Amino acid sequence: MSTTPSDIKATLSFSDGTPAIDLPVYKGSIGPDVVDIRALYGKTGKFTYDPGFMSTASCNSSITYIDGDKGELLYRGYPIEQLAVQCDFLETCYLLLNGELPNAGQKTEFVNLVTRHTMVHEQMQQFFRGFRRDAHPMAVLVGSVGALSAFYHDSLDINDAHHREVSAIRLIAKLPTLVAMAYKYSIGQPFVYPRNDLSYTANFMRMMFAVPAEDYKSNDVMVRALDRIFILHADHEQNASTSTVRLSGSSGANPFACIAAGIACLWGPAHGGANEAALNMLFDIQRQGGAERIGEFITRVKDKNSDVKLMGFGHRVYKNYDPRAKLMRETCHEVLSELGLHDDPLFKLAMALEKIALEDDYFVKRKLYPNVDFYSGIVQRALGIPVSLFTGIFALARTVGWIAQWNEMISDPEQKIGRPRQLFVGSARRDVPPLAARK
Ligand code: CMC
């Protein structure tokens, strides 16, 4: 899809004598209009300035839509609340990749395709053994996903639609295998091969928790909970890691390298690393005395000089409750009651913290609500997933969104290499002084 100008124009005038110019305005199907500033530099010699992309649409897209004020998230037009209840993760993957939900036949075909690509090249095992046992799983994933491009040369031509499709399937299929391998390696257990008679999510749980001495029997509530985590994390518009994938891909880099770049960006605590950070924060408060210490902790969060944040709270786009957090909260209840952990002290602490924060003026004024990561860590911990793997689970789920966005970018006739400019504030031209004359 490309952009179509509307009848509306934006007129930009300057107080420095530069003549005013008209800029085209485009309307999306929903959401804010955009002002096309591409001709600005050519006509005026000026750039726009928007660090953090607070007011910048970096592309046009028809995949995911967020209304941050309403707290609405749509994948290809479908509300996340309906997808989370009526669909499974692989149907959601099909939707994100192809634009429509699969019918029964298409679903069977897609599931078969993904299922038959879950094994990784046997030599990847040697590659894994090069990592220290205590390596962070995200470090292992950045390396191993990037390394896939050294193993699958036959799907690297980004200009060939078939190659792009094969790479997409390989990435979606192999990420669970790699995440489970990263876990097994860290605890010194043998890698578990995928099994084709299990669903995508049940197979992942078995690769995580089975050992040669004892098979793993999955529990439907737990599988469904993890599948929901995957659905909720599958895509989220032009966030930092997705923009990283698009920017990396804009130079023509191969899909495995681009997804590795996305994983690196996701790792940060302001983004995907927040689920790990949120749980560690709850552990800290619990260690220091639990619910009684919440007041003291909130005071530190509000102190401008402390750089302590309430992890799992706040979002660049949502200025209302994150719809994913609502669903995750519900899943949290389901999983904890299935496991007989209604009284889980960490969950109670999270609820108490949420209540206090939602009533506190600091958070209310800034429209800071819990985001998906506030609850996803508690669910993952209850499922037996170690804290250091939480962001790896996020990467597994987000891979489909990254690849759908990357594919959309490659197919867009308006696609160009991403090359921002800058407001230069350093020294103007000067001559190099001889060594003896330097201060
Ligand atoms: N705790 C305390 N204060 C906060 C928080 C927080 N979690 N988030 C934002 N604020 C304050 C911030 O200090 C600022 O205050 P002031 O106006 O007085 O300077 C105001 O709220 C606006 O925040 P901002 O940093 O300008 O907002 P942003 O859009 O640049 O940052 C964010 C968004 C998600 C990075 C930030 O809210 C944050 O760091 N949250 C904690 C980390 C987190 O949970 N991240 C997961 C995001 S959801 C999963 C994902 O998509 O990756």
Side-chain angles (χ1 to χ4, degrees):
M1 199 205 92
S2 63
T3 44
T4 25
S6 67
D7 295 337
I8 315 166
K9 296 237 175 308
T11 305
L12 187 59
S13 57
F14 304 86
S15 57
D16 64 355
T18 311
I21 58 161
D22 281 342
L23 298 166
V25 174
Y26 305 140
K27 286 203 161 302
S29 40
I30 35 175
D33 299 346
V34 301
V35 181
D36 180 351
I37 52 144
R38 281 176 290 184
L40 181 68
Y41 179 61
K43 289 188 177 167
T44 68
K46 297 182 197 304
F47 297 136
T48 55
Y49 182 63
D50 187 17
F53 306 110
M54 304 291 288
S55 298
T56 295
S58 60
C59 61
N60 70 75
S61 178
S62 52
I63 302 176
T64 292
Y65 175 75
I66 303 173
D67 185 325
D69 295 322
K70 274 204 248 167
E72 181 177 67
L73 170 61
L74 311 175
Y75 293 166
R76 302 282 191 185
Y78 295 111
I80 193 68
E81 292 81 2
Q82 292 179 22
L83 293 167
V85 173
Q86 291 169 244
C87 298
D88 63 28
F89 178 62
L90 283 187
E91 284 172 84
T92 308
C93 289
Y94 186 98
L95 171 70
L96 287 168
L97 291 173
N98 300 299
E100 296 299 335
L101 283 166
N103 62 29
Q106 288 164 331
K107 182 177 172 180
T108 307
E109 207 180 302
F110 184 70
V111 170
N112 280 337
L113 194 61
V114 172
T115 306
R116 282 179 169 69
H117 281 87
T118 48
M119 281 170 60
V120 292
H121 195 289
E122 197 64 4
Q123 220 167 318
M124 281 298 281
Q125 296 198 12
Q126 265 71 43
F127 186 83
F128 261 77
R129 290 185 213 289
F131 286 107
R132 282 171 56 136
R133 291 270 175 195
D134 60 355
H136 193 284
M138 288 302 278
V140 175
L141 284 177
V142 171
S144 58
V145 172
L148 291 177
S149 48
F151 286 89
Y152 299 100
H153 298 134
D154 59 339
S155 63
L156 296 184
D157 181 357
I158 63 157
N159 298 312
D160 181 323
H162 178 65
H163 277 221
R164 296 205 300 272
E165 196 187 321
V166 173
S167 286
I169 298 296
R170 281 182 169 153
L171 279 157
I172 294 164
K174 293 184 201 308
L175 251 290
T177 314
L178 294 176
V179 172
M181 284 172 81
Y183 173 56
K184 287 298 195 191
Y185 187 70
S186 73
I187 55 170
Q189 287 185 2
F191 299 130
V192 175
Y193 286 103
R195 245 182 50 193
N196 286 1
D197 58 328
L198 297 175
S199 73
Y200 184 87
T201 305
N203 172 54
F204 171 65
M205 291 184 85
R206 184 178 168 276
M207 288 191 293
M208 286 280 296
F209 301 122
V211 285
E214 192 174 335
D215 205 1
Y216 174 79
K217 276 260 156 299
S218 59
N219 165 315
D220 286 349
V221 174
M222 316 280 250
V223 172
R224 185 69 203 145
L226 190 57
D227 201 73
R228 181 178 274 194
I229 290 182
F230 293 165
I231 295 172
L232 299 185
H233 287 86
D235 194 41
H236 215 226
E237 209 227 58
Q238 308 310 321
N239 55 82
S241 57
T242 301
S243 298
T244 302
V245 170
R246 279 187 178 255
L247 196 54
S248 314
S250 76
S251 72
N254 77 68
F256 302 107
C258 295
I259 302 303
I263 295 173
C265 177
L266 187 75
W267 193 356
H271 192 8
N275 50 19
E276 180 175 345
L279 204 77
N280 285 331
M281 171 193 77
L282 292 175
F283 281 139
D284 276 352
I285 301 175
Q286 198 178 39
R287 259 195 304 272
Q288 287 161 26
E292 283 168 22
R293 309 305 286 264
I294 292 178
E296 201 179 295
F297 175 72
I298 295 280
T299 308
R300 272 196 286 141
V301 167
K302 295 193 295 190
D303 177 1
K304 283 277 153 218
N305 302 316
S306 80
D307 81 1
V308 178
K309 284 217 158 150
L310 180 49
M311 299 311 285
F313 256 71
H315 197 276
R316 170 63 60 81
V317 183
Y318 293 120
K319 300 302 168 199
N320 199 326
Y321 214 99
D322 177 345
R324 303 167 303 169
K326 265 189 206 146
L327 292 156
M328 203 72 276
R329 197 175 197 263
E330 204 179 278
T331 300
C332 211
H333 279 289
E334 274 166 31
V335 167
L336 296 177
S337 53
E338 172 71 12
L339 295 171
L341 296 172
H342 323 75
D343 291 330
D344 179 52
L346 221 58
F347 183 53
K348 282 189 156 170
L349 184 64
M351 301 248 280
L353 191 58
E354 185 197 42
K355 186 168 182 301
I356 290 171
L358 288 177
E359 286 165 0
D360 191 296
D361 216 35
Y362 174 94
F363 296 91
V364 175
K365 262 203 200 131
R366 290 169 177 78
K367 299 188 176 165
L368 298 171
Y369 293 90
N371 58 53
V372 66
D373 291 327
F374 193 69
Y375 286 110
S376 72
I378 299 174
V379 178
Q380 293 190 54
R381 176 171 163 267
L383 298 179
I385 296 167
V387 178
S388 63
L389 208 68
F390 289 0
T391 316
I393 301 281
F394 191 161
L396 181 174
R398 182 56 58 83
T399 293
V400 64
W402 288 329
I403 204 84
Q405 299 268 355
W406 172 84
N407 222 345
E408 183 178 66
M409 179 195 66
I410 305 277
S411 326
D412 185 346
E414 293 191 354
Q415 191 267 326
K416 275 183 170 320
I417 185 167
R419 177 54 168 98
R421 301 303 301 270
Q422 62 180 4
L423 173 67
F424 183 68
V425 293
S427 176
R429 190 188 189 286
R430 50 184 173 162
D431 294 323
V432 176
L435 188 57
R438 293 180 211 162
K439 290 184 192 143

